[in-house]
Amino acid sequence: STVRELQVELGARAYPIRIGRGLLDDGAGLAARVPGRHALVVTDRNVAPHYLARVEAALAGKSFGKLVLPPGEQEKTLARFGDVMAALAALGASRDATVIALGGGVVGDLAGFAAACWMRGVGFVQLPTTLLAMVDSSVGGKTAVDLPQGKNLVGAFHQPSAVFADTATLDTLPGRELRAGLAEVVKYGAIADPVFFDWLEANAEALLARDPEALAEAIAVSCAHKAGIVARDETEQGERMLLNFGHTFGHAIETEQGYGGLLHGEAVAVGMVLAARLSADLGRAPWSDTARLATLLERLELPVALPPGLSGDALLARMKLDKKAVSGALRLILWSGLGRAEVASAVPEADIRAVLDA
Ligand code: ADP
Ligand code: ZN
């Protein structure tokens, strides 16, 4: 079957993103990205039974270790980061070591941060196994762990040397996780690509049914957008901020609910609808585009309204603490309509409260 390949253009640090069914069986392709003697595979207990053996086979002849973590965002901690450091030390890993992340965004963020820190930075390969990780977190070099005070508060920019997305791994991904990933796919249409948004409207059922061609196309288009934005603005000084569309609202919902509430992608779905509604309220965007966005997300079986029981005051307070806010003034990503996201500084609090209360 076809393998699609694109490139993240970062000069000497450029790297390939390969997308296709069965990529994990291409042992030589993976081995080529592990130049040194040592490799550590970081994965979790849900992913390991399905896919770890194939990665181990690709590393035959290397000195490699593996670390199989309990799954879930609550594991993205400094303590687990310490476990990865200990595993690298036990392996005798040197400067030429490679850390391989096999799993979703949690494994990728944690393993990437470890790769950024071990001996001040070693090689890193992303093998994303969730749709969210394939279209978003595995590309772009953001790595982090959480603190009790907030998500992703400790981290680094550390680009991988390759991203291999084996779309066959999505066969075992729970449906709710797949749909949460689709929210981030819709985001690319919403912020930058009205033609892709039309395509998503036409292919919503195929995506939900995990049609392999539809999924591969959605992943490839999403990665192309992500790769382009990262190449133009690696450290989020400008354009990369647009990727946070729906995220200031979404993070507030996630933090307010704690673990066990909405998944990240689900919270982003709600957040994008709130951002679109706020844009319309402020007269910056047509109401009809808010309706199209909400309708597509609903067809993808994603939530589009705040879950019950959340206080508007509490959410607003969380939004002010978001690390993307600059010194108290609320800076949000809004849009002027489908495909046209923009940074809005100093959004009046009263207008934000209005969409949180609606
Ligand atoms: P995300 O990629 O959404 O940030 P996680 O890394 O937490 O999230 O992965 C979401 C959940 O899906 C976790 O419980 C993880 O163990 C599980 N998972 C990841 N990839 C697969 C897969 N291909 N098949 C089955 N379960 C998976
Ligand atoms: Zn996100």
Side-chain angles (χ1 to χ4, degrees), residues 96-175:
D96 68 1
T98 302
V99 178
I100 300 170
L102 172 70
V106 168
V107 163
D109 283 9
L110 174 67
F113 185 48
C117 294
W118 180 254
M119 298 194 171
R120 301 194 183 87
V122 294
F124 177 42
V125 172
Q126 286 270 22
L127 305 176
T129 64
T130 66
L131 181 59
L132 186 114
M134 289 180 190
V135 300
D136 184 18
S137 56
S138 72
V139 176
K142 279 193 183 180
T143 74
V145 297
D146 301 334
L147 292 183
Q149 289 80 1
K151 286 184 57 169
N152 298 329
L153 287 179
V154 182
F157 285 98
H158 189 64
Q159 297 291 343
S161 52
V163 180
F164 298 146
D166 183 342
T167 51
T169 62
L170 299 178
D171 293 352
T172 56
L173 189 69

Side-chain angles (χ1 to χ4, degrees), residues 125-293:
V125 172
Q126 286 270 22
L127 305 176
T129 64
T130 66
L131 181 59
L132 186 114
M134 289 180 190
V135 300
D136 184 18
S137 56
S138 72
V139 176
K142 279 193 183 180
T143 74
V145 297
D146 301 334
L147 292 183
Q149 289 80 1
K151 286 184 57 169
N152 298 329
L153 287 179
V154 182
F157 285 98
H158 189 64
Q159 297 291 343
S161 52
V163 180
F164 298 146
D166 183 342
T167 51
T169 62
L170 299 178
D171 293 352
T172 56
L173 189 69
R176 189 177 171 200
E177 299 287 349
L178 186 92
R179 295 191 293 275
L182 287 173
E184 300 276 8
V185 171
V186 169
K187 184 184 77 178
Y188 293 107
I191 67 172
D193 191 343
V195 173
F196 184 45
F197 194 91
D198 292 345
W199 183 90
L200 290 168
E201 288 178 326
N203 290 276
E205 278 70 39
L207 291 166
L208 274 182
R210 304 183 192 225
D211 174 79
E213 268 315 303
L215 277 175
E217 175 70 10
I219 294 165
V221 173
S222 299
C223 283
H225 280 294
K226 181 85 189 253
I229 291 170
V230 167
R232 292 187 293 272
D233 179 20
E234 185 180 0
T235 57
E236 199 168 321
Q237 307 305 303
E239 184 185 0
R240 190 165 180 175
M241 283 191 260
L242 302 180
L243 293 170
N244 294 317
F245 185 62
H247 279 62
T248 304
F249 285 107
H251 284 152
I253 297 167
E254 284 178 87
T255 327
E256 208 36 37
Q257 286 193 312
Y259 301 117
L262 292 185
L263 298 176
H264 173 72
E266 294 171 334
V268 167
V270 175
M272 289 192 292
V273 173
L274 294 178
R277 197 176 289 157
L278 176 57
S279 306
D281 276 348
L282 293 169
R284 305 171 71 114
W287 275 106
S288 54
D289 284 1
T290 306
R292 271 182 78 185
L293 177 61

Side-chain angles (χ1 to χ4, degrees), residues 70-94:
E73 181 78 28
Q74 70 278 7
E75 301 295 334
K76 218 177 89 178
T77 59
L78 281 171
R80 290 296 174 205
F81 169 81
D83 292 347
V84 187
M85 295 292 110
L88 284 162
L91 191 65
S94 50

